[in-house]
Amino acid sequence: METVFLSGYAKLPDNTTAQKLYNHLVLVVTVQFPQGIILDADCTMATELGRRFVRKLLTGYDLHQGPDALVETLSRTYYGHLRKALQTCFKGICAQFSEIQRTGLGGPVR
């Protein structure tokens, strides 16, 4: 078992607090590999409450399920302006995980 670090990026919507601080939303996770379980998460949201919400949502999620369940949960529970950016980040992280599975640890990273 190894721990891997994955990241997802998305452009932030204009006129949001986060966009005034950062150009992009960055979502990072540590994952138990090959089990696919997210161990921890962090992101560049402007508020600590937002970062805790995302961390709680992601921690324990099995990336083998793909992004759809996360996107659906986010659609039901998150009504902030960064919803689409978070969904894009989730999809990017799932794509990275799939790539690592396909190529193995130490393979190419995008």
Side-chain angles (χ1 to χ4, degrees):
M1 175 182 75
E2 301 234 21
T3 300
V4 296
F5 182 91
L6 305 174
S7 59
Y9 299 86
K11 186 175 184 319
L12 287 165
D14 292 334
N15 298 318
T16 61
T17 303
Q19 191 268 335
K20 302 226 183 287
L21 298 171
Y22 313 105
N23 289 325
H24 291 84
L25 177 66
V26 179
L27 176 63
V28 294
V29 296
T30 54
V31 178
Q32 187 178 16
F33 191 84
Q35 292 81 358
I37 304 300
I38 296 177
L39 302 172
D40 200 4
D42 199 4
C43 64
T44 56
M45 293 178 84
T47 65
E48 177 61 31
L49 182 59
R51 292 188 299 274
R52 282 195 319 260
F53 181 86
V54 170
R55 177 176 287 124
K56 184 177 177 184
L57 177 70
L58 292 175
T59 301
Y61 185 77
D62 182 352
L63 289 174
H64 290 104
Q65 296 180 49
D68 293 344
L70 276 175
V71 168
E72 171 60 29
T73 299
L74 193 69
S75 294
R76 284 191 333 270
T77 61
Y78 181 85
Y79 292 90
H81 290 72
L82 305 184
R83 181 189 295 179
K84 286 187 179 188
L86 283 166
Q87 291 171 340
T88 298
C89 289
F90 292 162
K91 290 174 185 178
I93 286 170
C94 287
Q96 278 188 333
F97 180 73
S98 294
E99 180 71 13
I100 291 171
Q101 283 187 292
R102 191 178 65 73
T103 61
L105 285 174
V109 176
R110 294 188 228 177

